Amino acid sequence: MSKPVDVGSVKIGQYVVIEGQPCRVVEYERSKPGKHGAAKARIVAIGVFTNQKKSIVSPVDAKIEVPMIEKRSGQVIAVFGDSVQLMDMETYQTFETPSPTEEEIRSRLAPGVEVEYWSILGRNKVTRIK
């Protein structure tokens, strides 16, 4: 789920959807309007799930999607090679999610550990250990 906002109101550190992927904005430049054109914004962002750099150039009065990030708590049930099985602490629903890429988080994952995970656009990511 996402909501549209003006490109001109985007800030560094905010999350936007570029090419269907949720991304965190790391650079934002705004050019002045020319003689016959509108001001443009150049946004550079890093993908939340892929860690790939993506950029977009758009007029500042255009719309861009901002994903709704749901921050939830879960408990690790099992750790597999490249995935983790979690149970949501509120709904008790179990599901599998890819293992985090950060070595600091990955090394501390074990059955019974409580974690915070983000649910963005139907995908989940473990962000930290509680």
Side-chain angles (χ1 to χ4, degrees), residues 13-77:
Q14 189 175 354
Y15 291 86
V16 296
V17 178
I18 299 176
E19 298 172 9
Q21 295 287 329
C23 303
R24 188 172 64 82
V25 176
V26 293
E27 285 182 42
Y28 179 84
E29 290 180 7
R30 191 176 189 160
S31 66
K32 293 182 179 180
K35 185 174 180 181
H36 296 290
K40 300 243 185 323
R42 186 175 72 82
I43 299 171
V44 177
I46 305 283
V48 173
F49 298 111
T50 61
N51 287 333
Q52 289 182 328
K53 192 181 234 186
K54 296 188 179 289
S55 64
I56 187 171
V57 176
S58 179
V60 294
D61 59 347
K63 298 284 187 191
I64 191 167
E65 294 291 318
V66 173
M68 305 301 273
I69 300 174
E70 221 181 312
K71 298 177 182 177
R72 304 186 62 104
S73 294
Q75 184 176 11
V76 177
I77 295 175

Side-chain angles (χ1 to χ4, degrees), residues 70-91:
E70 221 181 312
K71 298 177 182 177
R72 304 186 62 104
S73 294
Q75 184 176 11
V76 177
I77 295 175
V79 179
F80 306 113
D82 57 348
S83 65
V84 179
Q85 188 176 21
L86 296 176
M87 177 184 69
D88 188 281
M89 298 298 280
E90 291 178 22
T91 63

